[in-house]
Each structure stands twice: as structure tokens, then as C-alpha cells.
Amino acid sequence: MAPSIIGEDLTITGNIISKGEVQVEGDVQGDVFCATLIVGDRGRIHGGIVAEEVTVHGRISGSINALSVTLESNSHVEGDICHQALKLEHGGYFEGKSQRSDDPLSQASSNVDTFRQATTATGSGKLRAARIERAA
């Protein structure tokens, strides 16, 4: 399955829900629920994240609940991270609380329920309940 890519010229206001990979190069104002999330160098997320695997090159302002989290050298994260594995590369910025958990996805209780219901209901419908706008 090909990744869903949010381009640099897009701003999404609303939640993103996907069973697969999401790559954010633009701006997301809402929560992201997916299997794999990659936040590119210019990508920004202002909201919570629930995913199995998260790699951050850009900026996140919000909580992260994931099995595996990698904060690359140019990342900037402000928010708490609940994880099984966390990697912070030299130069990466992280301000918040880090909590290791055997089941970090269940720590996001209501968010996980929303994710499960949405992915079951939508089938392959990605980016459900999101408003997409072109940046000026």
C-alpha cells in the first residue's frame, strides 16, 4: 500500500485516520491515527498522535503514543511521549515527559477507541473527517 502524503502546500484541519503509512510534509491541525507516521523536515503537526511507528524530522506540538518513536537530529517535539522504544538523535529537541510502556497504544485510551472505530468503519477511506486547504 502506498503512503498517503500531505504535501508542503497543504494545511489539514481535522483528524487524519489511516490504516497505513502517512507522510506529513505540510501542516496538520488535528490528531493523527495511523500505522506508520513520518513527519518531514517542513512537516508540522499540532495535535495528538497514535501510531505503531513514528519518525519525526519536523515539528510536533502534542502527545505521541507509539510502539517506536525516532526523533531525528532536526526534529522539534513539545509534548509527552508514551512508547516501547524511543530514539533521540543528537541535535533533536524534545520538551515533555517520556514514559516507557509495554503497551503505549492502550495508554491513549479514548484515542485508540476512536482509531479502531474509524479504521473499521472507513475500510480504505484515508483522511476521513479532514478538511483540506491549499496554502496561499
Side-chain angles (χ1 to χ4, degrees), residues 13-136:
T13 303
N15 297 336
I16 296 176
I17 301 167
S18 173
K19 289 183 180 181
E21 180 178 326
V22 175
Q23 183 175 338
V24 176
E25 300 294 339
D27 192 21
V28 175
Q29 304 284 328
D31 297 335
V32 179
F33 306 91
C34 61
T36 302
L37 174 66
I38 299 170
V39 181
D41 290 336
R42 294 185 179 179
R44 293 177 179 259
I45 297 176
H46 303 277
I49 296 167
V50 178
E52 292 177 6
E53 184 177 339
V54 175
T55 302
V56 182
H57 298 272
R59 300 178 71 89
I60 294 177
S61 178
S63 64
I64 301 172
N65 288 72
L67 300 176
S68 172
V69 179
T70 301
L71 305 181
E72 300 289 346
S73 61
N74 50 341
S75 65
H76 185 104
V77 175
E78 295 178 8
D80 296 340
I81 300 175
C82 185
H83 57 85
Q84 272 186 357
L86 173 63
K87 178 181 177 183
L88 175 59
E89 290 191 357
H90 180 73
Y93 178 88
F94 169 55
E95 183 173 329
K97 181 175 68 175
S98 167
Q99 176 185 353
R100 195 210 173 286
S101 171
D102 288 332
D103 190 9
L105 300 181
S106 70
Q107 300 294 317
S109 58
S110 63
N111 287 342
V112 170
D113 290 339
T114 301
F115 173 64
R116 286 184 182 140
Q117 290 171 0
T119 56
T120 301
T122 62
S124 63
K126 296 179 183 174
L127 306 179
R128 181 176 169 253
R131 192 174 84 220
I132 301 174
E133 303 171 353
R134 289 250 175 226

